[in-house]
């Protein structure tokens, strides 16, 4: 299993593979398969965590046998750009600044306990949401903005020059990017734009 944990109360030292970090209320993190770790409570307040153990195949059946979070976030169903993050997501302790992650954990737990119709799909959706929030917290500065800025410039150019015979080659030459890069940028960033302008590009 991959282990997704959220600190509900108290503080503790968390030791994993020789590295010790201090955890407190609102911290959350994820641990890859087969990583040994332990908690040592700090102070008198009971250290309480909510643990979610899940097989990557819950996200997508093609991930059966997957042992690392990096493989999960690269999956085509989630579509996260792994190159945009600072480091491996399991190397960080995250903090729930506004309580949003805690609420997702609570909703996930309630689905698991109550088991209404479609609860496994709902749990899967909550897990993906939490993974996206994790990736956002370690996103490299400017990566999303630069991609979106390029798309905006290109779509503005197409809007203003729709009467011309536009091609992907012409646009890539104007913006000094390769054909492959421009095409991939649109596919990754926004399939809606790609659909709208595909008659011009191909």
């Amino acid at each position: 299993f991959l282990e997704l944990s959220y600190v509900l109360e108290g503080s503790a030292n968390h030791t994993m593979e020789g590295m010790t970090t201090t955890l407190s209320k609102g911290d959350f993190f994820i641990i890859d398969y087969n990583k040994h770790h332990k908690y040592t409570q700090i102070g008198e307040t009971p250290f309480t965590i909510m643990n979610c153990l899940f097989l990557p195949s819950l996200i997508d059946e093609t991930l059966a046998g997957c042992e690392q979070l990096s493989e999960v976030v690269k999956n085509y169903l989630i579509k996260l750009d792994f190159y945009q993050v600072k480091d491996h997501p399991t190397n960080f302790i995250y903090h729930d600044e506004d309580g949003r992650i805690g609420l997702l954990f609570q909703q996930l737990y309630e689905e698991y306990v109550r088991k209404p119709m479609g609860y496994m799909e709902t749990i899967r959706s909550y897990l993906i949401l939490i993974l996206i929030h994790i990736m956002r917290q370690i996103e490299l500065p400017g990566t999303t903005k630069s991609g979106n800025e390029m798309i905006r410039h290109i779509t503005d150019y197409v809007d203003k020059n729709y009467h011309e015979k536009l091609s992907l080659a012409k646009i890539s030459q104007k913006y000094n990017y390769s054909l492959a890069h421009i095409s991939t940028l649109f596919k990754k960033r926004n399939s809606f734009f790609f659909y709208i302008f595909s008659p011009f590009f191909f």
Side-chain angles (χ1 to χ4, degrees), residues 18 54 66 137:
F54 68 97
C66 164
Q137 289 206 30

Side-chain angles (χ1 to χ4, degrees), residues 110-122:
E110 288 173 5
E111 287 290 320
Y112 175 74
V113 171
R114 291 174 49 243
K115 293 180 172 54
M117 182 184 71
Y119 77 97
M120 287 304 293
E121 277 303 297
T122 305

Side-chain angles (χ1 to χ4, degrees), residues 35-60:
K35 297 288 184 181
H36 301 287
H37 62 110
K38 68 174 184 177
Y39 304 101
T40 306
Q41 182 174 305
I42 300 171
E44 297 181 1
T45 304
F47 179 67
T48 310
I49 61 172
M50 185 179 290
N51 249 11
C52 173
L53 306 179
F54 68 97
L55 292 172
S57 56
L58 173 64
I59 304 292
D60 182 26

